[in-house]
Amino acid sequence: MKIEAAVVREGKGDFKIETLELAEPSDDQILIKIVGVGLCHTDLTCRDQLYPVPLPMVFGHEGSGVVEKVGKNVTKVEPGDHVVLTFYTCGKCDACLTGDPTSCINSFGPNFMGRAVDGSCTIHDHAGDEVGCSFFGQSSFATHALAYERNTIKVTKDAPLDLLGPLGCGVQTGAGSVLNALNPPAGSAIAVFGAGAVGLSAVMGAVVANCTTIISIDVNPDRLELAKELGATHAINALEVDPVEEIQKLTGGAGIAYVLETSGVGPVLSQAIMSSCVGGEVGIVGAPAMGTTIPLDINHMLFNRKLRGIVEGESNSDIFIPRLISLYQQGKFPFDKLIKFYDLEQINEAAEDSEKGTTLKAIMRLPK
């Protein structure tokens, strides 16, 4: 079938809207009409080849839409269902089978290498040439996308479908890193470095977790104001003061038990580590270029501090995304305050605004 999609054909190149041919769904695939798709940092990282994925490619991995067709082996959803698309996992490895799909050992290829799970290419251009498909099992910068039961989440029809796409990655990552991975107890303290969409989702997650000290650290005063509006009890501008010293002052010199780094900036991770208390835990979700390293004071870590990476908020998306929607509908998780809508044809403008920091979370809205 003919679709319109945003294609990146060269590293650091623009997204170009092209008419492409999308294959019919195979026995295990789901055809979704996309109504909204978020723009994520990972889309831009791969566009710019900081993660060297194959090009050309149709990116997009925060899609939401309506099921149009299903393959004969699909039982999870049916035509007409509203869905959110998320990351792909195999469902067969030890991690998936034991309930930790974010540690799936078979997920890299289907998520990043531009081919469907069976190795085929499902998108071709007007000349019949292959275009990278199935990015995060979806490639949803398009009017239609093919996905799988493993990364298709059925959602309630009384929620605004065009808003929900970022729950599949960025918002899920921030909130889940707090609620699922770090899991701070009620009344505890947490510091979140970076006040982008992921960091602010983490702040909202900390509010849901009933943390009583929530410290947001960033260099953008407008983002810090929004962090306070969303529930941060303290906001630290790292251009004006040393955040490590400020956190020491706020905690009587002890440091923070729970710390999350979302910026992907090496020196900021160093600050996050140095902000942690004895026995504290530091989570990393910010993704810099491959090969980025930081110096680490081993003796600082010896005092029972823990440093860990967190993928997709350590979420079981079938459970977690509907829960976030329920929290949103009850006014307890107002992630809509992060969103700015664009048309698909404005995707380059959305990317530029996101990189400049004037837009927190862009969603390309498509006709229903």
Side-chain angles (χ1 to χ4, degrees):
M1 64 177 295
K2 300 292 184 184
I3 64 169
E4 299 295 312
V7 183
V8 174
R9 291 194 169 271
E10 58 184 12
K12 299 183 180 180
D14 286 342
F15 295 93
K16 297 181 179 179
I17 306 301
E18 299 185 20
T19 301
L20 303 173
E21 188 72 25
L22 180 67
E24 288 294 308
S26 64
D27 290 349
D28 61 347
Q29 287 180 323
I30 302 163
L31 177 66
I32 298 101
K33 178 177 173 55
I34 301 297
V35 302
V37 52
L39 178 68
C40 181
H41 175 73
T42 303
D43 295 307
L44 302 180
T45 296
C46 292
R47 176 201 66 179
D48 296 342
Q49 296 288 279
L50 297 178
Y51 287 1
V53 302
L55 296 177
M57 179 89 79
V58 177
F59 294 116
H61 64 282
E62 292 183 341
S64 61
V66 180
V67 175
E68 285 200 348
K69 294 181 183 179
V70 299
K72 68 178 184 180
N73 295 336
V74 173
T75 60
K76 185 179 183 180
V77 294
E78 60 185 26
D81 284 344
H82 288 193
V83 296
V84 169
L85 305 181
T86 187
F87 59 99
Y88 179 83
T89 57
C90 75
K92 300 175 182 178
C93 68
D94 287 351
C96 286
L97 291 173
T98 54
D100 182 17
T102 61
S103 295
C104 174
I105 63 171
N106 299 313
S107 64
F108 183 82
N111 282 308
F112 288 99
M113 297 312 292
R115 289 293 181 269
V117 172
D118 64 4
S120 65
C121 183
T122 58
I123 300 178
H124 293 78
D125 64 17
H126 64 90
D129 294 329
E130 294 182 345
V131 177
C133 64
S134 201
F135 187 66
F136 277 61
Q138 52 183 284
S139 286
S140 50
F141 285 156
T143 54
H144 292 78
L146 291 172
Y148 301 86
E149 286 187 317
R150 291 291 300 174
N151 69 314
T152 299
I153 313 301
K154 184 177 177 179
V155 298
T156 179
K157 291 185 177 180
D158 61 356
L161 186 57
D162 54 0
L163 181 69
L164 303 183
L167 297 177
C169 185
V171 173
Q172 171 177 248
T173 294
S177 293
V178 176
L179 294 169
N180 302 324
L182 296 179
N183 193 22
S188 60
I190 187 169
V192 180
F193 283 76
V198 174
L200 292 174
S201 296
V203 166
M204 289 185 283
V207 173
V208 171
N210 288 314
C211 294
T212 49
T213 299
I214 304 171
I215 305 172
S216 177
I217 304 97
D218 202 272
V219 297
N220 185 316
D222 292 335
R223 291 186 176 194
L224 291 171
E225 282 300 313
L226 181 55
K228 289 192 288 186
E229 180 183 337
L230 294 173
T233 58
H234 301 80
I236 297 174
N237 189 327
L239 289 179
E240 298 175 351
V241 296
D242 184 326
V244 179
E245 292 180 358
E246 287 300 303
I247 288 172
Q248 291 292 319
K249 292 177 185 177
L250 289 171
T251 60
I256 291 283
Y258 300 95
V259 185
L260 185 66
E261 202 297 298
T262 71
S263 75
V265 178
V268 176
L269 175 58
S270 296
Q271 292 176 332
I273 293 169
M274 296 308 297
S275 299
S276 62
C277 68
V278 172
E281 185 170 2
V282 182
I284 310 170
V285 298
M290 300 292 285
T292 300
T293 62
I294 61 166
L296 183 62
D297 185 338
I298 295 173
N299 284 285
H300 182 74
M301 297 303 299
L302 282 176
F303 289 90
N304 290 336
R305 291 178 172 90
K306 296 171 283 292
L307 177 63
R308 58 169 301 189
I310 303 171
V311 175
E312 293 286 354
E314 207 171 276
S315 305
N316 183 326
S317 300
D318 281 299
I319 297 171
F320 193 57
I321 289 175
R323 286 179 178 175
L324 290 179
I325 293 172
S326 293
L327 288 166
Y328 164 73
Q329 290 178 314
Q330 293 177 20
K332 298 175 182 177
F333 190 78
F335 76 97
D336 57 318
K337 294 184 178 181
L338 311 179
I339 304 301
K340 181 178 178 179
F341 286 105
Y342 298 78
D343 294 332
L344 183 62
E345 292 74 15
Q346 297 174 297
I347 188 170
N348 289 302
E349 178 186 341
E352 182 179 352
D353 291 348
S354 298
E355 292 177 307
K356 289 190 301 186
T358 55
T359 293
L360 283 164
K361 172 58 70 172
I363 292 180
M364 270 52 68
R365 186 158 49 187
L366 290 92
K368 294 182 180 179

